[in-house]
Amino acid sequence: MVMKRLAILTSGGDAAGMNAAVRAVVRTALDRGVEVFAIYEGYQGLVDGGDRIRKMTWNSVSNILNLGGTVIGTARSEAFRTHDGRRTAARNLLEHEIDSLVVVGGDGSLTGANLFRQEWPTLLKELVELGQIDQAVADRRANLTIVGLVGSIDNDMFGTDMTIGADTALHRITEAVDAISSTAASHQRTFVVKVMGRNCGYLALMAALATGAEWVLIPENPPDLDNWEDKMCADLKAGRKAGRRDSIVIIAEGARDRYGNPIGSSYIQKVLEEKLQEEVRVTVLGHVQRGGAPSAFDRTLGTLMGHAAVETVLSAAPDSEPQLICLRGNRITNAPLMKCVEQTRAVAEALDQHEFERALELRGGSFQESFRTLRTMLRSLPHDPPAGQKQLRLGIMNCGAPAAGMNSAVRAAVRIGMDKGHIMLGIANGFQGLIDGQIKPMDWMAVNGWAAMGGSELGTNREVPSGKDFYAIARNIEKHELNGLLIIGGWSGYQAAHELYRERDNFPAFNIPMICMPATINNNLPGSELSIGADTALNTIVQSVDKIKQSGVALRRCYVVEVMGRRCGYLALMGGLATGAERVYIHEEGVKLKDLQADVDQLVAGFKRGKRLGLLIRNEDAHPVYTTGVLCAIFEAESDGLFDVRQTILGHMQQGGDPSPFDRIQATRLAARCVDYLIENSRSESPSGAFIGLEAGGIQIQAIEDMPRLMDEVNQRPKKQWWMDLRAIARVLAQPAPQARSEEK
Ligand code: ADP
């Protein structure tokens, strides 16, 4: 069988994370012994040929993970839209006998790729007739294999939960809105912020959920009243009256009224100025949303999708249908490309035909759920409690070490609980506060601005109650008449909740519904593949390592970077994957002297070949003897004078910082579900305990009885850790070039 030959191109709008995909495609292909080419400048490069089609080596994709945009360029191409243009493109590919194409782009680019594949046999026939290619070549490369990745900041593709670049765009937007909020609050001013997204309201919706915006306009939900302008102004006025100092209206690029007329930012400005009688400022975020360094998530997403694309190409049967690489519930899968494109187009059609409900439905369950939650979060005051409903008193606390997103979770829980007519009580300093009785009701405005704040405003603590603490807790639960408990935190919070649950026969007061929500940077909790705070910590790691790498590149230096995580290697491995670290040390694998010997040999060989920088990431508890200091000493002693070694311990900055958009959004979604759980269970005769999480299938709630079964108590991590499967990919992509590897042997 003829070996496939592969090319990658990026097309349409650029998006952060495309470079990670290019790197992963090139290196995975080379690792599998497949020749791989990059097409520069998108489809235009395919039509132009010549040096726009370049053979890639292992090192052609070094040091690009951290770069925004796409290093191989992108362009719109009118020529590729024509049959003649595509025939030229086919000829250019066949000059290198390329028969497989990975296309990273939006629905336009992917449609083009599909058409190209359909026409391929015809194009080949024409080229043979024109004498431009040999029949033998046409026979060898009779089929074109297409695999698509969606690179788009809009997150508008059906079939995938996230597109490459959307998370980074959200980072840019939340940074900007946070900054605007503080100046707006200083002057008690109103701002209109316009964000990108074409037909899709994802960026606007998520940005509003992640910040303190007060009004949002998205294409899928046009304002339904004829005098919506009055309603908007009344809402903003009510917000001011309730104590808000800033008012922010977020408007999506594709916002429209229910007749389909576009709503622009200057129109909103004019309306607000007239009705509020104050100056209103407009910020159109524009292309800053596309730019800048990719977020940790986009680097990983691009990497995993790129890797999967090559595997999909290599396993594809001849003439098989083009596939789209998708992310579904934290897993990479694939789906028929054109089906996804068609469904995406169906949303655009629904919008064109003013079928807004259908458009919203096609966006999927989590989009709709987020939208419902947002409507509550935006309110300036809660709804009045329904008459005759029992008003519950629900306690909220943070436990364990601080994690970014804890405040976003508390904010969401307070507002959602209050909006459903209940009394929400904040418990300060975790279980210690519950023991000491530091419990007080929170009001709507008490959590204003908390979405964007790092740390824990309630205060947090690692206390796990025992002995006479239980009496104190029971007394306080009774005294404050708590009907439910939301515990947002890490390992110690989970342990404490489980202890209370076990003591419920001895202490009847503990017979209230309780739910644990995962919030720790370590990502070491059972029942959740991701915990709140880990994404922010990963971004801190990635940004720090970018800087460290820059400082070292001039010096022939090797860094050993120590990251947190206790005995859970998640931050180390994912940090390594997102920064291209050549080696990651984690407790799960342990560290052996013979491995260190191999690592030293590889480092020395690498620097001998001219490498300028080494990067190793070590989890803080990877090994009790081979500490970061010891590793550095060993490497330096063995460096043969070729390089020096420095240690960097990132420390507590990993726990701090403004929460990432992902942490804010997930914290809000999880907290909303937790409050629903407490309310539902408070009606039960025998209320239960539970823990919530983000699992591969979506949000899941499990019974607290199952907690011990899932936990590795000794190492304080879940028995099963999904991300361990990613180690092989991290290893493949960060190893030396295959040629260097064989020379070393
Ligand atoms: P996106 O991929 O982001 O949706 P575009 O719609 O601008 O961006 O498409 C990018 C490029 O893909 C176009 O400039 C064109 O070269 C190619 N393309 C798009 N649609 C088609 C099509 N129907 N047939 C052939 N090529 C297309």
Side-chain angles (χ1 to χ4, degrees), residues 513-553:
M514 289 178 216
I515 187 160
C516 299
M517 177 182 145
T520 165
I521 69 162
N522 300 340
N523 198 29
N524 62 342
L525 295 170
S528 195
E529 296 201 337
L530 297 166
S531 63
I532 305 305
D535 183 61
T536 306
L538 260 181
N539 277 292
T540 303
I541 292 169
V542 164
Q543 286 160 12
S544 309
V545 171
D546 282 354
K547 290 179 190 160
I548 292 167
K549 280 174 101 170
Q550 275 174 4
S551 89
V553 80

Side-chain angles (χ1 to χ4, degrees), residues 11-13 43 75-78 80-81 86 105-112 115 198:
S11 172
Y43 287 125
R76 313 259 176 216
S77 168
E78 281 315 308
F80 192 75
R81 289 181 186 273
R86 290 192 291 275
D107 60 340
S109 309
L110 298 175
T111 307
L115 186 62
R198 297 200 292 186

Side-chain angles (χ1 to χ4, degrees), residues 314-607:
L314 295 184
S315 63
D319 203 25
S320 57
E321 205 182 331
Q323 295 293 307
L324 186 73
I325 307 295
C326 305
L327 179 80
R328 289 227 199 97
N330 207 25
R331 289 292 183 286
I332 305 289
T333 60
N334 42 348
L337 183 139
M338 282 321 285
K339 192 178 145 244
C340 299
V341 170
E342 277 153 23
Q343 289 288 330
T344 306
R345 298 257 159 92
V347 188
E349 272 160 33
L351 290 172
D352 281 347
Q353 285 161 17
H354 307 173
E355 295 171 12
F356 301 110
E357 266 174 37
R358 195 162 78 86
L360 198 55
E361 203 182 295
L362 285 167
R363 288 278 184 237
S366 94
F367 190 99
Q368 291 165 55
E369 181 194 84
S370 299
F371 186 63
R372 277 195 302 275
T373 304
L374 177 69
R375 291 171 82 128
T376 304
M377 303 305 297
L378 296 179
R379 297 181 61 84
S380 44
L381 284 173
H383 284 101
D384 290 331
Q389 171 186 281
K390 179 182 178 215
Q391 209 173 26
L392 301 172
R393 296 171 59 85
L394 304 174
I396 311 172
M397 62 165 106
N398 292 156
C399 300
M406 281 181 160
N407 292 323
S408 322
V410 175
R411 166 180 179 263
V414 165
R415 290 207 167 164
I416 287 159
M418 286 185 76
D419 195 50
K420 295 196 166 167
H422 305 293
I423 297 170
M424 305 305 284
L425 298 108
I427 301 165
N429 303 320
F431 276 88
Q432 192 59 53
L434 192 55
I435 295 167
D436 299 339
Q438 299 175 52
I439 304 168
K440 57 173 196 273
M442 300 188 75
D443 68 28
W444 195 264
M445 288 307 287
V447 290
N448 200 42
W450 283 28
M453 286 156 78
S456 161
E457 289 297 300
L458 277 182
T460 179
N461 188 294
R462 284 217 179 79
E463 175 73 17
V464 178
S466 61
K468 63 181 187 326
D469 297 336
F470 293 125
Y471 290 98
I473 292 176
R475 209 174 49 241
N476 282 323
I477 289 178
E478 278 161 2
K479 181 172 157 203
H480 293 272
E481 299 173 62
L482 296 184
N483 303 111
L485 207 51
L486 168 55
I487 300 145
I488 302 162
W491 192 268
S492 58
Y494 275 54
Q495 270 183 320
H498 194 250
E499 288 298 310
L500 291 201
Y501 179 78
R502 285 202 327 191
E503 292 287 338
R504 53 174 53 194
D505 287 344
N506 300 329
F507 299 91
F510 297 167
N511 272 302
I512 54 173
M514 289 178 216
I515 187 160
C516 299
M517 177 182 145
T520 165
I521 69 162
N522 300 340
N523 198 29
N524 62 342
L525 295 170
S528 195
E529 296 201 337
L530 297 166
S531 63
I532 305 305
D535 183 61
T536 306
L538 260 181
N539 277 292
T540 303
I541 292 169
V542 164
Q543 286 160 12
S544 309
V545 171
D546 282 354
K547 290 179 190 160
I548 292 167
K549 280 174 101 170
Q550 275 174 4
S551 89
V553 80
L555 299 164
R556 290 183 156 259
R557 180 166 278 176
C558 174
Y559 287 98
V560 182
V561 178
E562 181 182 305
V563 302
M564 286 183 162
R566 313 287 283 274
R567 287 187 177 183
C568 172
Y570 178 79
L571 289 178
L573 183 81
M574 299 307 272
L577 199 58
T579 55
E582 54 215 272
R583 180 75 160 93
V584 173
Y585 300 100
I586 58 178
H587 183 272
E588 288 86 346
E589 289 181 333
V591 185
K592 292 270 182 295
L593 196 52
K594 68 173 181 357
D595 300 335
L596 294 179
Q597 180 67 58
D599 296 343
V600 165
D601 291 346
Q602 192 172 316
L603 279 173
V604 170
F607 279 96

Side-chain angles (χ1 to χ4, degrees), residues 106-161:
D107 60 340
S109 309
L110 298 175
T111 307
N114 184 58
L115 186 62
F116 193 35
R117 175 186 156 273
Q118 284 171 341
E119 284 183 352
W120 187 258
T122 318
L123 299 174
L124 260 52
K125 197 159 158 268
E126 290 172 16
L127 287 169
V128 171
E129 280 164 13
L130 290 167
Q132 296 192 358
I133 61 164
D134 291 342
Q135 185 64 49
V137 173
D139 291 344
R140 266 201 304 277
R141 308 292 168 184
N143 295 298
L144 180 68
T145 307
I146 297 283
V147 172
L149 304 187
V150 194
S152 160
I153 68 165
D154 306 331
N155 203 28
D156 55 353
M157 181 64 73
F158 183 90
T160 184
D161 294 350

Side-chain angles (χ1 to χ4, degrees), residues 672-722:
R673 290 280 190 99
C674 287
V675 170
D676 287 346
Y677 175 89
L678 293 177
I679 295 171
E680 273 164 31
N681 270 274
S682 67
R683 297 192 197 106
S684 155
E685 289 280 308
S686 53
S688 53
F691 53 115
I692 196 169
L694 294 160
E695 294 278 69
I699 295 180
Q700 270 184 34
I701 296 181
Q702 302 188 58
I704 204 163
E705 295 89 322
D706 289 336
M707 208 187 258
R709 190 170 55 77
L710 301 174
M711 286 164 129
D712 171 351
E713 285 282 348
V714 177
N715 294 309
Q716 300 205 344
R717 62 186 181 222
K719 283 188 184 146
K720 207 166 155 278
Q721 303 192 100
W722 65 277

